[in-house]
Coordinates of all heavy atoms in Angstrom, one line a residue:
Q916 N -73.3 130.6 295.9 CA -72.2 131.5 296.4 C -71.3 130.6 297.2 O -71.7 129.5 297.7 CB -72.8 132.5 297.3 CG -74.0 133.2 296.8 CD -74.6 134.2 297.9 OE1 -73.9 135.0 298.4 NE2 -75.8 134.0 298.2
S917 N -70.1 131.1 297.4 CA -69.1 130.3 298.2 C -68.5 131.2 299.3 O -68.2 132.4 299.0 CB -68.0 129.7 297.4 OG -68.5 128.8 296.5
V918 N -68.2 130.6 300.4 CA -67.5 131.3 301.5 C -66.3 130.4 301.8 O -66.4 129.2 301.9 CB -68.3 131.4 302.8 CG1 -67.5 132.0 303.9 CG2 -69.6 132.3 302.5
S919 N -65.1 131.0 301.9 CA -63.9 130.1 302.1 C -63.5 130.3 303.6 O -63.6 131.3 304.2 CB -62.7 130.6 301.3 OG -63.0 130.5 300.0
I920 N -63.1 129.2 304.1 CA -62.6 129.2 305.5 C -61.1 128.9 305.5 O -60.6 127.9 305.0 CB -63.4 128.3 306.5 CG1 -62.8 128.2 307.8 CG2 -63.7 126.9 305.9 CD1 -63.9 127.9 308.9
D921 N -60.3 129.9 306.0 CA -58.9 129.9 305.8 C -58.2 129.3 307.0 O -58.0 129.9 308.0 CB -58.5 131.4 305.6 CG -57.0 131.5 305.3 OD1 -56.4 130.5 305.1 OD2 -56.6 132.7 305.2
L922 N -57.8 128.0 306.8 CA -57.1 127.3 307.9 C -55.9 126.6 307.3 O -55.7 125.4 307.6 CB -58.1 126.3 308.5 CG -59.3 126.8 309.3 CD1 -60.3 125.7 309.5 CD2 -58.8 127.4 310.6
A923 N -55.1 127.3 306.6 CA -53.9 126.7 306.0 C -54.2 125.4 305.2 O -55.1 125.4 304.4 CB -52.8 126.5 307.0
E924 N -53.6 124.3 305.6 CA -53.8 123.1 304.8 C -55.2 122.5 305.0 O -55.6 121.6 304.3 CB -52.6 122.1 305.0 CG -52.6 121.4 306.4 CD -52.1 122.3 307.5 OE1 -51.7 123.5 307.2 OE2 -52.0 121.8 308.6
R925 N -55.9 123.0 306.0 CA -57.2 122.5 306.3 C -58.3 123.4 305.8 O -59.4 123.4 306.2 CB -57.4 122.2 307.8 CG -56.5 121.1 308.4 CD -56.8 120.9 309.9 NE -56.5 122.1 310.6 CZ -55.4 122.7 310.8 NH1 -54.3 122.1 310.3 NH2 -55.2 123.8 311.5
S926 N -57.9 124.4 304.9 CA -58.9 125.3 304.4 C -59.9 124.6 303.5 O -59.6 123.6 302.9 CB -58.2 126.4 303.5 OG -57.2 127.1 304.3
Y927 N -61.1 125.2 303.4 CA -62.1 124.6 302.6 C -63.2 125.6 302.2 O -63.2 126.7 302.8 CB -62.8 123.4 303.2 CG -63.3 123.6 304.6 CD1 -64.7 123.9 304.9 CD2 -62.5 123.4 305.7 CE1 -65.1 124.1 306.2 CE2 -63.0 123.6 307.0 CZ -64.3 123.9 307.2 OH -64.8 124.1 308.5
D928 N -64.1 125.2 301.3 CA -65.2 126.1 300.8 C -66.5 125.6 301.4 O -66.7 124.4 301.5 CB -65.2 126.1 299.3 CG -64.0 126.9 298.7 OD1 -63.5 127.8 299.4 OD2 -63.6 126.5 297.6
I929 N -67.3 126.6 301.6 CA -68.7 126.4 302.0 C -69.6 126.8 300.7 O -69.5 128.0 300.4 CB -69.1 127.2 303.2 CG1 -68.2 126.9 304.4 CG2 -70.6 126.9 303.6 CD1 -68.1 128.0 305.4
H930 N -70.2 125.9 300.1 CA -71.0 126.3 298.9 C -72.5 126.5 299.3 O -73.0 125.6 300.1 CB -70.9 125.2 297.8 CG -69.5 125.0 297.4 ND1 -68.9 125.9 296.6 CD2 -68.6 124.0 297.6 CE1 -67.7 125.5 296.3 NE2 -67.5 124.3 296.9
I931 N -73.1 127.5 298.9 CA -74.5 127.9 299.3 C -75.3 128.2 298.1 O -75.0 129.0 297.3 CB -74.5 129.1 300.2 CG1 -73.6 128.9 301.5 CG2 -75.9 129.5 300.7 CD1 -73.0 130.2 302.1
G932 N -76.5 127.5 298.0 CA -77.4 127.8 296.8 C -78.5 126.8 296.7 O -78.6 125.8 297.5
S933 N -79.3 126.9 295.7 CA -80.4 126.0 295.4 C -80.0 124.9 294.5 O -79.2 125.1 293.5 CB -81.6 126.7 294.7 OG -82.1 127.7 295.5
G934 N -80.5 123.7 294.7 CA -80.3 122.6 293.7 C -78.9 122.1 293.7 O -78.5 121.4 292.8
L935 N -78.1 122.3 294.7 CA -76.7 121.9 294.7 C -76.5 120.3 294.7 O -75.6 119.8 294.1 CB -75.8 122.5 295.8 CG -75.8 124.0 296.0 CD1 -74.7 124.4 296.9 CD2 -75.8 124.8 294.7
L936 N -77.5 119.7 295.3 CA -77.4 118.2 295.4 C -77.7 117.5 294.1 O -77.6 116.3 294.0 CB -78.4 117.7 296.4 CG -78.1 118.0 297.9 CD1 -79.0 117.2 298.8 CD2 -76.6 117.6 298.2
Q937 N -78.1 118.3 293.1 CA -78.3 117.7 291.7 C -77.1 118.1 290.8 O -77.2 117.7 289.6 CB -79.6 118.3 291.1 CG -80.8 117.6 291.6 CD -81.9 118.6 292.0 OE1 -82.0 119.7 291.4 NE2 -82.7 118.3 293.0
Q938 N -76.2 118.8 291.3 CA -75.1 119.3 290.4 C -73.8 118.6 290.7 O -73.2 118.8 291.8 CB -74.9 120.8 290.5 CG -76.2 121.5 290.0 CD -76.0 123.0 290.2 OE1 -75.0 123.6 289.8 NE2 -77.0 123.6 290.8
E939 N -73.3 117.8 289.8 CA -72.0 117.0 290.0 C -70.9 118.0 290.3 O -69.9 117.6 291.0 CB -71.7 116.3 288.7 CG -72.4 114.9 288.6 CD -72.0 114.2 287.3 OE1 -70.8 114.0 287.2 OE2 -72.9 113.9 286.5
S940 N -70.9 119.2 289.7 CA -69.8 120.1 289.9 C -69.4 120.3 291.3 O -68.2 120.6 291.7 CB -70.0 121.4 289.2 OG -71.2 122.0 289.7
F941 N -70.4 120.3 292.2 CA -70.1 120.6 293.6 C -69.4 119.4 294.3 O -68.9 119.5 295.4 CB -71.4 121.0 294.4 CG -71.8 122.3 294.0 CD1 -72.9 122.4 293.0 CD2 -71.2 123.5 294.4 CE1 -73.3 123.7 292.6 CE2 -71.6 124.7 294.0 CZ -72.6 124.8 293.1
F942 N -69.3 118.3 293.6 CA -68.6 117.1 294.2 C -67.3 116.8 293.5 O -66.7 115.8 293.7 CB -69.6 115.9 294.2 CG -70.8 116.2 295.0 CD1 -71.9 116.8 294.5 CD2 -70.8 115.8 296.3 CE1 -73.0 117.1 295.3 CE2 -71.9 116.0 297.1 CZ -73.0 116.7 296.6
E943 N -66.9 117.7 292.6 CA -65.6 117.5 291.9 C -64.5 117.9 292.8 O -64.6 118.6 293.7 CB -65.6 118.4 290.6 CG -65.7 117.5 289.4 CD -66.6 118.1 288.3 OE1 -66.5 119.3 288.1 OE2 -67.4 117.3 287.8
G944 N -63.3 117.2 292.5 CA -62.1 117.6 293.2 C -62.0 116.9 294.6 O -61.0 117.2 295.4
L945 N -62.9 116.0 294.9 CA -62.7 115.3 296.2 C -61.7 114.2 296.0 O -61.4 113.8 294.9 CB -64.1 114.7 296.6 CG -65.1 115.7 297.1 CD1 -66.5 115.0 297.2 CD2 -64.8 116.4 298.4
P946 N -61.0 113.8 297.1 CA -59.9 112.8 296.9 C -60.5 111.5 296.5 O -61.7 111.2 296.7 CB -59.3 112.7 298.3 CG -60.3 113.3 299.3 CD -61.2 114.2 298.5
R947 N -59.6 110.7 295.8 CA -60.1 109.4 295.4 C -60.4 108.6 296.6 O -59.6 108.6 297.6 CB -59.0 108.7 294.6 CG -59.0 109.3 293.1 CD -58.0 108.6 292.2 NE -57.9 107.1 292.5 CZ -56.7 106.5 292.3 NH1 -55.7 107.1 291.9 NH2 -56.7 105.2 292.6
A948 N -61.5 107.8 296.7 CA -61.8 107.1 297.8 C -62.2 105.6 297.4 O -62.8 105.4 296.4 CB -63.0 107.7 298.6
T949 N -61.8 104.7 298.3 CA -62.1 103.3 298.0 C -63.6 103.1 298.2 O -64.2 102.2 297.5 CB -61.4 102.4 299.0 OG1 -61.6 102.9 300.3 CG2 -59.9 102.3 298.6
S950 N -64.2 103.8 299.1 CA -65.6 103.7 299.3 C -66.1 105.0 300.0 O -65.3 105.8 300.5 CB -66.0 102.5 300.3 OG -65.2 102.6 301.4
V951 N -67.4 105.2 299.9 CA -68.1 106.4 300.5 C -69.2 105.9 301.3 O -70.0 105.0 300.9 CB -68.7 107.3 299.4 CG1 -69.4 108.5 300.0 CG2 -67.6 107.8 298.4
L952 N -69.3 106.4 302.6 CA -70.4 106.1 303.4 C -71.2 107.4 303.7 O -70.7 108.3 304.3 CB -70.0 105.4 304.8 CG -71.1 105.2 305.7 CD1 -72.1 104.1 305.2 CD2 -70.6 104.7 307.1
I953 N -72.5 107.4 303.2 CA -73.3 108.5 303.4 C -74.0 108.2 304.8 O -74.8 107.2 304.9 CB -74.4 108.7 302.3 CG1 -73.7 108.9 301.0 CG2 -75.3 109.9 302.7 CD1 -74.8 108.9 299.8
V954 N -73.8 109.1 305.8 CA -74.5 108.9 307.1 C -75.6 109.9 307.1 O -75.4 111.1 307.0 CB -73.5 109.0 308.2 CG1 -74.3 108.8 309.6 CG2 -72.3 108.1 308.1
S955 N -76.8 109.4 307.3 CA -78.0 110.3 307.5 C -78.8 109.8 308.6 O -78.3 109.1 309.5 CB -78.8 110.3 306.1 OG -79.7 111.3 306.1
N956 N -80.1 110.1 308.6 CA -81.0 109.6 309.7 C -82.3 109.1 309.1 O -82.5 109.4 307.9 CB -81.1 110.5 310.9 CG -82.0 111.7 310.6 OD1 -82.8 111.7 309.6 ND2 -81.9 112.8 311.3
E957 N -83.1 108.5 309.9 CA -84.4 107.9 309.3 C -85.4 108.9 308.8 O -86.3 108.5 308.1 CB -85.0 107.0 310.4 CG -85.3 107.7 311.7 CD -85.4 106.7 312.9 OE1 -85.0 105.5 312.7 OE2 -85.8 107.2 314.0
T958 N -85.2 110.2 309.1 CA -86.1 111.2 308.6 C -85.5 111.8 307.3 O -86.3 112.0 306.3 CB -86.2 112.4 309.6 OG1 -86.7 111.8 310.9 CG2 -87.2 113.5 309.2

Side-chain angles (χ1 to χ4, degrees):
Q916 314 176 55
S917 295
V918 174
S919 299
I920 175 156
D921 185 4
L922 291 168
E924 71 283 0
R925 293 180 305 290
S926 299
Y927 53 94
D928 289 330
I929 304 153
H930 300 288
I931 301 156
S933 296
L935 306 198
L936 288 188
Q937 281 134 28
Q938 295 178 51
E939 277 182 57
S940 58
F941 290 99
F942 296 86
E943 249 135 47
L945 291 169
R947 282 185 36 211
T949 47
S950 52
V951 176
L952 176 65
I953 302 172
V954 181
S955 189
N956 72 21
E957 55 205 8
T958 305

